[in-house]
């Protein structure tokens, strides 16, 4: 896995300055999240993917930029909404070549179904300013998705997908809905970690971050934070004798602390 980093900006102006500093240091912006209190969080990886970003005030303006980005080889990979601003992250040669927008979740589900019928794989779903964005690619793959109206239901859906061989690669919260995008990929093992604050999420992540796990996506919703973590390994945690005791121990802790915000405390190694 690539080394990653994060920044927290107290406002959008400070956030964009921090992004530029990281881009100049060779880091690529991969994910953003709005904290609900004016703050913005950015995740980075030191992989040469040539990323860029824009901030606009409405969806129509963002869609125009998406079209311009495709012409230059850039794809929309992340959208975040906060304080009246839509923040889009783009990556060069990412592989997505289709985009849908929907003003309701029902419409989004219809869009996904129609695209699948045409041979497109769902890559990512984002929500901002009342708009659901779906990005797709017309290359062979095996993706899946789930949505839940509560944190508890979402956790159950993630664990069921793991049992089916799918890994969580992206999470989004919008309009009271948790949405997870999954991929069938034997080269990674995914997990999740959360907290009532971003600092708490980081503290929970650091409990196992030195074992090769990377924080690849974060989302704020329903009063708490959720992060997606990945490890480049074909092994399931319970098949690894080193990780098994830790997974069991932290899984027990999660059951005890089930009433915590988001019910995600220490859940990253609870498979």
């Amino acid at each position: 896995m690539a080394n990653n980093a994060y920044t927290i900006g107290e406002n959008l102006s400070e956030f964009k300055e921090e992004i530029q500093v990281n881009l100049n240091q060779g880091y690529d912006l991969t994910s953003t999240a709005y904290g609900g209190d004016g703050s913005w969080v950015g995740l980075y990886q030191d992989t040469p993917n040539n990323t860029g970003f824009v901030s606009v005030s409405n969806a129509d303006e963002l869609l125009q930029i998406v079209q311009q980005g495709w012409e230059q080889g850039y794809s929309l990979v992340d959208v975040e909404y906060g304080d009246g601003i839509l923040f889009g992250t783009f990556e060069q040669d990412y592989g997505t070549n289709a985009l849908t927008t929907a003003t309701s979740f029902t419409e989004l589900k219809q869009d996904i179904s129609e695209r699948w019928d045409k041979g497109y794989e769902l890559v990512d779903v984002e929500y901002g300013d009342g708009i659901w964005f779906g990005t797709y690619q017309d290359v062979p793959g095996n993706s899946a998705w789930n949505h839940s109206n509560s944190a508890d239901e979402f956790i159950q859906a993630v664990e069921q997908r793991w049992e089916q061989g799918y890994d969580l690669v992206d999470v989004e919260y919008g309009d009271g809905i948790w949405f997870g995008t999954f991929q069938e990929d034997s080269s990674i093992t995914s997990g999740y970690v959360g907290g009532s604050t971003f600092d708490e999420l980081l503290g929970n992540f650091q409990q196992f971050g030195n074992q090769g796990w990377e924080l690849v996506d974060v989302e704020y919703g329903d009063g708490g934070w959720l992060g997606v973590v990945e490890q480049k390994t074909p092994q399931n945690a319970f098949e690894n004798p080193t990780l098994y005791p830790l997974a069991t121990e932290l899984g027990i802790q999660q059951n005890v602390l089930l009433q915590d915000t988001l019910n995600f405390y220490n859940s990253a190694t609870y498979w």
Side-chain angles (χ1 to χ4, degrees):
M1 294 289 288
N3 293 319
N4 62 1
Y6 71 91
T7 58
I8 304 176
E10 296 301 321
N11 53 61
L12 183 62
S13 178
E14 179 181 316
F15 182 54
K16 290 193 287 187
E17 290 177 1
E18 293 172 345
I19 292 174
Q20 196 59 57
V21 169
N22 278 273
L23 293 180
N24 292 339
Q25 294 177 349
Y27 284 87
D28 284 308
L29 181 66
T30 59
S31 178
T32 62
Y34 179 74
D37 58 355
S39 64
W40 292 79
V41 172
L43 294 184
Y44 309 82
Q45 289 188 342
D46 61 349
T47 52
N49 291 327
N50 295 327
T51 57
F53 65 92
V54 297
S55 58
V56 297
S57 58
N58 60 71
D60 288 339
E61 188 176 356
L62 178 61
L63 291 175
Q64 292 178 0
I65 295 175
V66 169
Q67 294 293 335
Q68 295 170 2
W70 278 343
E71 296 173 359
Q72 301 175 24
Y74 283 83
S75 298
L76 181 70
V77 296
D78 186 76
V79 177
E80 189 66 19
Y81 178 79
D83 200 22
I85 296 295
L86 277 165
F87 193 97
T89 304
F90 295 79
E91 184 175 313
Q92 192 174 32
D93 300 325
Y94 186 73
T96 57
N97 49 15
L99 174 73
T100 61
T101 60
T103 56
S104 70
F105 189 67
T106 298
E107 185 181 352
L108 170 69
K109 291 189 291 184
Q110 293 173 346
D111 289 339
I112 294 173
S113 178
E114 291 174 359
R115 287 291 176 176
W116 271 352
D117 290 343
K118 296 178 181 179
Y120 285 82
E121 289 285 336
L122 180 67
V123 175
D124 186 30
V125 166
E126 303 290 343
Y127 178 85
D129 195 21
I131 303 294
W132 288 94
F133 299 84
T135 57
Y136 312 81
Q137 59 184 7
D138 59 352
V139 296
N142 199 355
S143 63
W145 57 273
N146 282 88
H147 73 279
S148 306
N149 295 320
S150 72
D152 286 336
E153 291 179 3
F154 187 70
I155 289 175
Q156 294 173 5
V158 171
E159 293 172 353
Q160 289 172 359
R161 285 296 184 185
W162 280 334
E163 293 174 358
Q164 297 168 1
Y166 287 87
D167 282 288
L168 178 68
V169 295
D170 186 85
V171 62
E172 183 69 12
Y173 180 83
D175 199 23
I177 296 170
W178 288 98
F179 189 100
T181 305
F182 302 81
Q183 289 182 355
E184 191 175 33
D185 188 347
S186 61
S187 68
I188 65 171
T189 298
S190 69
Y192 55 86
V193 62
S196 57
T197 65
F198 185 69
D199 286 341
E200 183 178 340
L201 180 150
L202 288 177
N204 294 336
F205 170 67
Q206 289 169 359
Q207 294 187 44
F208 62 99
N210 61 356
Q211 299 180 27
W213 295 87
E214 295 285 349
L215 186 62
V216 297
D217 188 40
V218 291
E219 182 67 10
Y220 176 82
D222 199 22
W225 288 86
L226 174 64
V228 180
V229 298
E230 286 183 3
Q231 185 184 53
K232 280 291 185 181
T233 172
Q235 293 179 314
N236 181 281
F238 284 138
E239 296 173 351
N240 187 317
T242 301
L243 294 181
Y244 181 88
L246 181 61
T248 303
E249 178 184 351
L250 295 184
I252 293 173
Q253 291 180 20
Q254 187 217 25
N255 290 334
V256 174
L257 299 170
L258 197 59
Q259 299 304 315
D260 278 10
T261 303
L262 281 182
N263 299 316
F264 288 144
Y265 185 81
N266 281 337
S267 59
T269 46
Y270 176 61
W271 306 101

